Amino acid sequence: MFKRSLFLMLVFVFVLTSFVSAQNYKKEYTLSYNVGPATPWGMGANYFTDLVRERTDGRINIKAYGGSSLAAGKQTSIFMMVRNGSVDMALESTINWSPQIKELNLFSLPFFFDSYKQIDAVEKGKAGQYLLDRIEQLGVKPFGWGENGFREITNSKRAIHKPEDLSDLKYRVVGSKIFIEIFQELGSNPLTMNWGEATTGFQQGTVDGQENPVVDVLIPLKIWEFHEYMTVWNYLVDPLMIGINQQVFDSFTPLDQEIVAQAAEEALQFQKMLARYGLDNGTAKAYIDEMIKNGEDMGYAKDFLATWEMEDGSNDPFKYLKAQGMKVNVLTDEEKELFREKTRPVYKKWVKTIGEDIVEDAIESKESVQ
Ligand code: X2X
């Protein structure tokens, strides 16, 4: 008898807590990201919302909004909005959060990273952990690390081999100080503009060029319709992170928090691998091809890769861009050195702003994989 009533009581408590928690959940949560849905970044966002919806049996229903539309396009405002709860969560570039979190400029230090291995090592190392902790202190539950990618410059006027080639060109950059300083130091004329306005800027000639990652942004944008020249200089990288308003995250049951954390990890890895497809040593391709084989990716990756497949069935980003009529040059080590030297004052200044300890930790992680 006693056992039976205890059992009934437990059932009652269980039903009650599920009911109470379900009552606390919003009908729909908002997630912001800065580009369109037909990019690896956008696909990562939708993959995350799909995984969460399925695995919580619809208890957590997230809607992803591209183009920073929840902030009327103002991409550098999203972190504040997640922080104050007017947006529930975001899948965002470190660049767009760096005006509020100066330490994130670590990834924007010019010519700091030489390889994908180094990026991964820094993210997984002490510096990466420090950055996650810093975001959490600000009231946003962070998950790392996806990737927009190494950022390459394109323009409508000429190939770039040395800093002087940039001198009379107007470049669109994100509204983040370090970008303005880098381009000024290189003698060019940077103009800040939200990404949503950039294509109009290219069409109207307000700007001659821009810098963005090849697979995550430039191929989906069909950059060859605006710019004939691309210079591959891997001058800096922007990882992507998921950030969830802390109160929103805390309102989820422990089980749902687990599900969200696991989905974030899987979606970010999927997104990173898709954004690196054809750019790294083959790791990304192997990862995505395996997902496609297992039917795990909801078709996103497959559809995307089909849009820029070469006739021989391969996806070589630079060959593809050339086939679209672009002139692509890769800076030689000597050429790159000139840019590195020229941007050194900006580098030195920003090491102080970011924090010398963090930069040293990052250098240690980088060196561990060299
Ligand atoms: O604005 C950009 O250049 C973009 C799309 O790469 C970011 O959101 C950082």
Side-chain angles (χ1 to χ4, degrees):
M1 181 62 197
F2 176 70
K3 262 192 188 163
R4 200 179 128 87
S5 52
L6 183 69
F7 175 74
L8 284 176
M9 205 169 85
L10 283 176
V11 168
F12 177 72
V13 167
F14 180 76
V15 169
L16 191 74
T17 48
S18 331
F19 179 71
V20 167
S21 59
Q23 287 288 305
N24 283 340
Y25 283 15
K26 296 186 193 177
K27 263 199 175 148
E28 191 170 273
Y29 293 89
T30 50
L31 179 144
S32 175
Y33 65 100
N34 191 36
V35 289
T39 58
W41 184 344
M43 290 171 203
N46 284 303
Y47 190 47
F48 173 66
T49 63
D50 282 347
L51 287 180
V52 172
R53 193 176 303 111
E54 275 166 30
R55 293 178 184 174
T56 60
D57 295 320
R59 285 191 298 281
I60 301 179
N61 179 32
I62 309 166
K63 183 158 184 216
Y65 292 82
S68 295
S69 58
L70 297 169
K74 200 157 184 312
Q75 62 200 73
T76 49
S77 295
I78 294 294
F79 185 77
M80 284 184 297
M81 293 175 76
V82 174
R83 205 177 162 189
N84 72 24
S86 47
V87 171
D88 297 311
M89 54 193 94
L91 170 55
E92 260 307 334
S93 157
T94 47
I95 297 174
N96 293 331
W97 288 357
S98 63
Q100 286 92 40
I101 309 159
K102 62 184 186 351
E103 293 89 342
L104 287 180
N105 285 292
L106 173 69
F107 297 101
S108 303
L109 282 175
F111 303 99
F112 187 67
F113 290 99
D114 295 319
S115 68
Y116 290 110
K117 263 194 185 162
Q118 289 184 353
I119 298 168
D120 294 340
V122 169
E123 289 170 353
K124 285 195 205 111
K126 258 203 220 162
Q129 189 56 48
Y130 175 89
L131 296 172
L132 292 169
D133 293 346
R134 181 82 196 103
I135 293 170
E136 194 147 11
Q137 280 165 12
L138 295 172
V140 172
K141 178 80 188 167
F143 299 94
W145 298 89
E147 191 165 284
N148 197 7
F150 274 122
R151 301 176 70 89
E152 318 300 0
I153 35 172
T154 64
N155 75 74
S156 57
K157 303 276 189 219
R158 69 179 77 100
I160 307 298
H161 291 278
K162 49 187 188 308
E164 296 75 56
D165 294 333
L166 289 170
S167 63
D168 56 345
L169 297 180
K170 286 174 287 187
Y171 268 88
R172 176 270 170 183
V173 293
V174 198
S176 161
K177 271 191 192 155
I178 191 166
F179 286 84
I180 301 168
E181 291 177 21
I182 292 170
F183 277 79
Q184 279 174 345
E185 198 68 47
L186 289 171
S188 137
N189 184 5
L191 252 123
T192 58
M193 209 180 265
N194 287 319
W195 184 239
E197 292 145 18
T199 44
T200 315
F202 305 153
Q203 278 160 340
Q204 296 181 345
T206 328
V207 287
D208 305 304
Q210 64 79 46
E211 46 79 57
N212 253 286
V214 175
V215 173
D216 208 39
V217 175
L218 297 179
I219 289 182
L221 183 71
K222 299 191 165 71
I223 190 66
W224 56 89
E225 292 184 354
F226 309 101
H227 297 155
E228 190 180 347
Y229 300 95
M230 172 180 286
T231 300
V232 181
W233 64 344
N234 289 5
Y235 83 128
L236 53 85
V237 69
D238 54 325
L240 301 182
M241 310 179 80
I242 290 178
I244 305 179
N245 174 281
Q246 188 71 54
Q247 277 166 327
V248 167
F249 188 74
D250 290 346
S251 74
F252 297 150
T253 61
L255 172 67
D256 285 346
Q257 289 182 356
E258 272 291 307
I259 292 173
V260 168
Q262 181 64 28
E265 191 182 312
E266 289 174 39
L268 288 167
Q269 183 65 6
F270 161 69
Q271 186 281 328
K272 184 191 250 190
M273 292 297 103
L274 194 55
R276 283 186 189 179
Y277 200 99
L279 290 170
D280 70 358
N281 60 2
T283 309
K285 178 174 162 35
Y287 186 93
I288 294 293
D289 290 355
E290 184 66 20
M291 273 186 94
I292 292 176
K293 210 174 87 197
N294 298 333
E296 279 170 35
D297 75 321
M298 321 288 297
Y300 302 136
K302 210 170 158 192
D303 293 347
F304 170 63
L305 293 170
T307 64
W308 57 286
E309 195 177 282
M310 303 285 292
E311 273 175 13
D312 63 3
S314 71
N315 285 88
D316 181 323
F318 298 115
K319 268 195 199 152
Y320 178 76
L321 290 172
K322 285 180 193 162
Q324 308 313 308
M326 283 192 98
K327 300 201 169 74
V328 181
N329 71 298
V330 181
L331 287 191
T332 63
D333 288 348
E334 294 79 46
E335 285 174 339
K336 209 169 173 179
E337 209 41 48
L338 296 176
F339 285 89
R340 194 191 301 271
E341 265 168 36
K342 191 98 183 164
T343 52
R344 205 63 198 167
V346 183
Y347 179 101
K348 282 195 181 144
K349 177 183 160 191
W350 281 85
V351 166
K352 292 209 185 76
T353 310
I354 294 159
E356 286 177 23
D357 291 357
I358 304 168
V359 179
E360 262 163 41
D361 287 340
I363 291 174
E364 209 175 284
S365 298
K366 268 200 321 172
E367 285 174 353
S368 73
V369 292
Q370 257 169 6

